[in-house]
Amino acid sequence: MTLQEYDYARESPSKLAASCLLLALTMKNLGGWTPTLEYYSGYSAQDLHPLVKRLNFLLTYQPQDKLNAVRSKYSHRVFFEVAKVTPMDMLKLEEALTSC
């Protein structure tokens, strides 16, 4: 979804990928940002927090009337229907991020 948003073009691809992974781990309660992830990504969890919050905001307030191709594609079971995953409540996300 970030490919459709000009605001994310200035982010480095590695930081964007790491932030997406941290958001996914948090959304699915699969643990936090481990020392191994920090070592191999080069990013601490605190480095990723602002971008993770922006990504969750993008998922929460996505426009429903345009650019439906990506949403439609990733709503299919072949892609595990990831477009249908409910975004986290911003307060719960904040709590989860402060604990990792």
Side-chain angles (χ1 to χ4, degrees), residues 16-38 41 43-45 48-49 52 55-56 59 82 85-86 88 92-93 96-97 99-100:
L16 190 58
S19 297
C20 288
L21 178 59
L22 179 55
L23 179 58
L25 290 171
T26 307
M27 289 174 76
K28 292 298 203 172
N29 293 321
L30 296 175
W33 200 247
T34 65
T36 304
L37 289 170
E38 183 173 342
S41 71
Y43 298 107
S44 69
L48 303 175
H49 287 181
V52 169
L55 289 167
N56 192 62
L59 292 173
V82 295
V85 174
T86 306
M88 288 190 72
K92 289 181 183 178
L93 177 62
L97 290 177
S99 67
C100 63

Side-chain angles (χ1 to χ4, degrees), residues 31-78:
W33 200 247
T34 65
T36 304
L37 289 170
E38 183 173 342
Y39 176 80
Y40 285 107
S41 71
Y43 298 107
S44 69
Q46 289 74 27
D47 295 338
L48 303 175
H49 287 181
L51 188 52
V52 169
K53 292 175 192 174
R54 285 179 50 215
L55 289 167
N56 192 62
F57 186 83
L58 176 67
L59 292 173
T60 304
Y61 298 105
Q62 56 186 314
Q64 298 295 326
D65 58 340
K66 60 180 182 174
L67 303 174
N68 288 319
V70 173
R71 195 172 303 105
S72 175
K73 176 180 179 179
Y74 288 99
S75 293
H76 195 272
R77 72 172 201 251
V78 172

